[in-house]
Amino acid sequence: MRRPLGWWYLALGLGILAVAALGSQETDGDFLQFNGDGAFKIVQFSDLHFGDSPLEDQKTGQAMLQILRVEKDVDLVVLAGDMISGYACPYKQNTMKSLAKRKEWFRSMWSQVISPLQKRKVKYASTLGNHDSSQIKRIRKRIVEMDMRSGKGFSLTQPGPENITGVSNYFLPVRSSNTSQESARLWFFDSMAKGCNGLHYSWGCVGEDTVHWFDHLASKQSPLPGAAFIHIPLPEFLDGWRFNNGTATGGKFEPVSCPRANTHLFDKLRLHGVSSVYSGHDHLNDYYLEFKGVRLAYGRKSGYGAYGPSGLAGARVIILKEGQPTKNAETYIRFGDGSRDDQPERKSSIKGFQFRCAAGPYVGDLPGTKLRSTSSGMSLPYNGSSLALTLLISFVAMFGLILWRRVRRPKKLRGA
């Protein structure tokens, strides 16, 4: 009895698919893995700010290339937000022509962001900052989708769940050096742009629903060492600095611009064994410290666009060791000229003591406006009651000083 030809075609098709699947397993390079020495090297680029000017963009690209040339065997590059200066896009009208040009502008900027990574053939993962896109989720999602398309073969970025705040919320497992088992996890969170929990003059934060998502997911996973990457620093970056009496490893040259509402991501990360958090956002800060058993670390301003430190742009290098808490990872700054800074412990050089998170843009501001908090020791603008109290205390202090000096003067000098 002759078999129907359809079965032969089906068998042949399944065979081809099986071979293709085996081939993709053998050539699949999407997974991350500790090397034979049990190390995993991450280079964190923060606040590249492509788009401010062609000259600055060129300098930034050259710095990125030099850092990746000097740092051998990089396992992953993390783009920790504000890769693009969205406020610099010249096409702001809501016409069809302007929207098309805006899309092309962003595509052009993103190609510059990832060009050094593609040239060095390095895998990368990104999380969004406050200047990459507006608060609108569908627009932030387009940035992530553009990244995934243009960085095909190198990008490990993921959009994350649809039903939570933000888009770049996901994790990447890191395999053991000698097995296919997970040995560590890298978590990425979208801290949005501004108005944490609807607060005026607050920077963005990881939404409470996103924190719940992480808590639920991590509670079902086997406990492993973890590290987290976020753009806007958590409030604990300031709490830790204050707890250490203003002392940290590295420099603090501007206030910590953290959200003024705490969605308690720090507590959940700590609960689930994530013992290090790396951020960007504050261009003049590159310090790190340990607070409640968790390393809190800024990256280094990596681009020449926007404001920044007077010295060289650079990147934070993080070398995880298999089986160890990520807070114990070796870390240092690699500058764009190839030099290295092991960052001595130092007292903050900023005048005055910071008591609360520095103010962010007003929640009613239009998307894309280039606003920053002041670089004073206290956060501005104050609300009405805080400003009135500050003025009252200043007046009382001045009056008291004048009165004290008058009382202290000898009687013969006081006059009749």
Side-chain angles (χ1 to χ4, degrees):
M1 179 179 176
R2 294 179 61 186
R3 296 178 182 270
L5 288 177
W7 288 104
W8 286 103
Y9 291 137
L10 178 61
L12 179 61
L14 291 174
I16 292 172
L17 288 174
V19 171
L22 288 172
S24 65
Q25 286 181 346
E26 292 174 355
T27 61
D28 181 16
D30 286 347
F31 63 85
L32 302 173
Q33 189 167 23
F34 285 93
N35 65 25
D37 296 326
F40 186 86
K41 182 185 285 190
I42 300 169
V43 172
Q44 176 192 350
F45 289 119
S46 303
D47 299 279
L48 291 162
H49 278 279
F50 277 91
D52 274 46
S53 83
L55 179 60
E56 290 170 340
D57 293 346
Q58 184 180 13
K59 289 174 61 180
T60 298
Q62 291 171 349
M64 294 173 70
L65 273 174
Q66 180 63 12
I67 290 168
L68 295 176
R69 287 191 192 104
V70 174
E71 289 296 334
K72 307 295 184 184
D73 303 319
V74 176
D75 296 292
L76 181 71
V77 164
V78 171
L79 301 174
D82 280 6
M83 289 73 76
I84 297 176
S85 295
Y87 54 77
C89 179
Y91 308 107
K92 294 182 169 61
Q93 296 79 16
N94 288 323
T95 63
M96 293 297 292
K97 185 177 180 180
S98 181
L99 290 172
K101 288 185 176 181
R102 188 187 311 170
K103 185 176 181 180
E104 185 56 36
W105 184 87
F106 270 94
R107 188 181 295 114
S108 173
M109 291 303 107
W110 195 261
S111 68
Q112 292 186 67
V113 172
I114 65 175
S115 176
L117 314 182
Q118 292 174 324
K119 287 178 181 177
R120 300 301 300 174
K121 294 181 169 49
V122 181
K123 298 172 189 172
Y124 71 90
S126 63
T127 187
L128 295 180
N130 55 296
H131 285 307
D132 292 307
S133 172
S134 70
Q135 291 272 88
I136 303 171
K137 182 163 183 171
R138 71 174 184 275
I139 298 177
R140 295 178 80 81
K141 186 177 179 181
R142 287 174 193 163
I143 300 290
V144 171
E145 290 172 344
M146 179 179 64
D147 171 21
M148 296 169 67
R149 287 193 305 270
S150 58
K152 192 173 182 180
F154 299 100
S155 175
L156 302 180
T157 304
Q158 298 176 21
E162 285 280 354
N163 59 342
I164 59 176
T165 302
V167 292
S168 51
N169 301 296
Y170 61 100
F171 77 93
L172 297 175
V174 184
R175 295 183 183 181
S176 171
S177 57
N178 50 22
T179 72
S180 60
Q181 298 297 313
E182 291 183 20
S183 187
R185 295 188 187 98
L186 306 177
W187 294 87
F188 300 81
F189 296 97
D190 186 353
S191 54
M192 303 300 289
K194 59 185 179 180
C196 179
N197 280 7
L199 291 178
H200 296 303
Y201 298 115
S202 173
W203 292 104
C205 62
V206 177
E208 291 180 343
D209 55 347
T210 306
V211 175
H212 293 322
W213 163 79
F214 163 74
D215 183 35
H216 178 71
L217 180 59
S219 65
K220 296 192 298 182
Q221 297 173 326
S222 57
L224 288 174
F229 295 90
I230 187 173
H231 181 66
I232 297 175
L234 301 174
E236 285 76 11
F237 275 67
L238 175 57
D239 295 341
W241 181 76
R242 293 181 62 193
F243 181 81
N244 287 354
N245 196 29
T247 301
T249 303
K252 180 181 186 292
F253 298 100
E254 69 172 310
V256 179
S257 296
C258 43
R260 290 190 169 181
N262 196 329
T263 56
H264 302 290
L265 176 62
F266 177 86
D267 298 330
K268 296 301 183 182
L269 292 170
R270 190 165 165 247
L271 175 66
H272 294 295
V274 180
S275 63
S276 61
V277 182
Y278 297 90
S279 81
H281 190 53
D282 298 325
H283 299 182
L284 304 184
N285 295 340
D286 63 6
Y287 71 81
Y288 69 92
L289 50 81
E290 187 172 322
F291 180 59
K292 295 185 178 180
V294 178
R295 171 187 283 175
L296 302 172
Y298 278 100
R300 171 75 179 187
K301 175 71 165 62
S302 304
Y304 288 93
Y307 79 101
S310 57
L312 294 165
R316 178 166 294 284
V317 180
I318 308 154
I319 305 177
L320 306 179
K321 293 297 289 183
E322 187 173 1
Q324 295 185 15
T326 61
K327 68 178 182 179
N328 297 338
E330 179 186 359
T331 186
Y332 53 88
I333 301 298
R334 179 69 69 184
F335 291 116
D337 66 350
S339 60
R340 170 172 166 163
D341 179 10
D342 287 311
Q343 297 192 284
E345 184 176 84
R346 64 181 67 152
K347 192 89 169 180
S348 171
S349 65
I350 195 167
K351 294 180 180 179
F353 206 78
Q354 185 181 353
F355 296 100
R356 63 173 178 171
C357 294
Y362 182 67
V363 293
D365 288 329
L366 293 174
T369 51
K370 188 178 181 180
L371 298 178
R372 277 302 276 171
S373 57
T374 62
S375 294
S376 62
M378 293 285 287
S379 305
L380 293 174
Y382 301 109
N383 58 35
S385 59
S386 298
L387 181 58
L389 181 61
T390 302
L391 292 173
L392 177 62
I393 292 172
S394 300
F395 176 78
V396 171
M398 289 177 62
F399 181 78
L401 179 62
I402 293 170
L403 184 63
W404 177 79
R405 293 185 65 180
R406 185 173 180 83
V407 170
R408 294 271 298 176
R409 291 172 63 189
K411 290 184 178 180
K412 62 181 180 180
L413 297 178
R414 293 181 197 170

